[in-house]
Amino acid sequence: QVQLVESGGGLVQAGGSLRLSCAVSGRPFSSYAMGWFRQAPGKEREFVAFITRSGGSTYYADSVKGRFTISRDNAKNTVYLQMNSLKPEDTAIYFCAAIAGPMKINPHEYDYWGQGTQVTVSS
């Protein structure tokens, strides 16, 4: 079993920055590629960013490309999401997820999930 715990969410003004963290335990962290997703009220969970097991490749949703950066520290069993130039439409609960396979944008393909952390961007 793999446990994921997100942190770092909060309230920020438009144009501001936040860094989310996701601590992973239970199995070798480097065995899993990682994704970040978000879910706004009344909307479906959507893909935000993905990073391969080694951290050598990353992928982003068009809506966050150039503003968000996903990274991982395999020595600390942690994946990060640096969010800059935040917009009110970025407001959502942000989830990290682990996948044993290749890159996927469908949340149903992921094996393990954290509980989420709220990000609120005020205008």
Side-chain angles (χ1 to χ4, degrees):
Q1 193 72 4
V2 177
Q3 295 80 42
L4 293 78
V5 179
E6 301 96 335
S7 61
L11 173 63
V12 63
Q13 288 188 332
S17 298
L18 282 174
R19 189 175 82 152
L20 306 183
S21 299
C22 173
V24 181
S25 61
R27 286 187 180 174
F29 179 57
S30 58
S31 298
Y32 294 91
M34 300 296 297
W36 283 98
F37 291 77
R38 66 187 182 187
Q39 188 165 17
K43 294 188 176 182
E44 294 187 353
R45 194 167 297 189
E46 65 172 358
F47 169 78
V48 174
F50 175 90
I51 189 165
T52 56
R53 288 176 291 178
S54 67
S57 294
T58 57
Y59 304 89
Y60 298 92
D62 288 342
S63 59
V64 307
K65 202 173 293 183
R67 299 188 297 122
F68 290 11
T69 302
I70 188 172
S71 62
R72 66 189 293 162
D73 186 335
N74 283 353
K76 295 183 177 180
N77 292 352
T78 303
V79 61
Y80 305 97
L81 186 68
Q82 178 67 43
M83 305 186 296
N84 299 329
S85 302
L86 282 161
K87 305 175 181 180
E89 51 263 44
D90 295 318
T91 295
I93 299 174
Y94 283 71
F95 300 87
C96 64
I99 183 169
M103 184 271 187
K104 300 289 184 183
I105 63 171
N106 184 342
H108 300 290
E109 305 268 10
Y110 283 71
D111 301 303
Y112 302 99
W113 289 86
Q115 82 290 347
T117 185
Q118 176 70 48
V119 172
T120 303
V121 184
S122 62
S123 57

